[in-house]
Amino acid sequence: MLVKICGATTAQEVRAVAGAGADLIGLWHGVPGGPADLPAERLAALAAEARATGRLRSVLVTFGSDPTALAHTAAGAGTDWIQLHGYQPPPWCAPCEHNCPSGCASSRCCTSTAPPARRRA
């Protein structure tokens, strides 16, 4: 089982999540009006902070609906996963993964509504 804590907005919060023993940290981007929504630059900085912990893998949590744009955002930020939160159907993952540049080849795409057995790994 993996544990994910979502909504970090500061490096201190990222380190606290790592210290608490979580495996994944959810970083919001493309969540209009969301209290933890991050601009791309901040998303990249917090994803780097997660990597620096040696423990956490970062998850781009988004309402985004453009698979190519999300793949490039994930690659640019260095996130490990993309979590589609909202209205995107599970088959939407294939174009997102296909368009993911080589820098995010390890990215995974999952929907927040799909049961774990249906999440793509």
Side-chain angles (χ1 to χ4, degrees), residues 70-110:
L70 286 177
H72 287 284
T73 298
T79 58
D80 299 297
W81 291 64
I82 300 171
Q83 178 183 339
L84 305 176
H85 192 318
Y87 309 104
Q88 312 92 332
W92 191 90
C93 288
C96 188
E97 290 173 342
H98 175 75
N99 289 308
C100 197
S102 61
C104 76
S106 65
S107 285
R108 291 159 176 87
C109 180
C110 64

Side-chain angles (χ1 to χ4, degrees), residues 2-95:
L2 296 174
V3 174
K4 176 172 77 82
I5 305 296
C6 205
T9 60
T10 67
Q12 181 180 6
E13 290 172 344
V14 171
R15 290 188 299 272
V17 167
D23 303 293
L24 304 164
I25 188 152
L27 303 172
W28 296 14
H29 176 76
V31 182
D37 192 40
L38 303 166
E41 300 79 25
R42 190 80 185 129
L43 171 69
L46 294 180
E49 187 70 34
R51 280 190 303 280
T53 68
R55 174 178 185 82
L56 288 176
R57 310 238 10 224
S58 58
V59 180
L60 165 58
V61 179
T62 186
F63 286 163
S65 60
D66 179 340
T68 301
L70 286 177
H72 287 284
T73 298
T79 58
D80 299 297
W81 291 64
I82 300 171
Q83 178 183 339
L84 305 176
H85 192 318
Y87 309 104
Q88 312 92 332
W92 191 90
C93 288

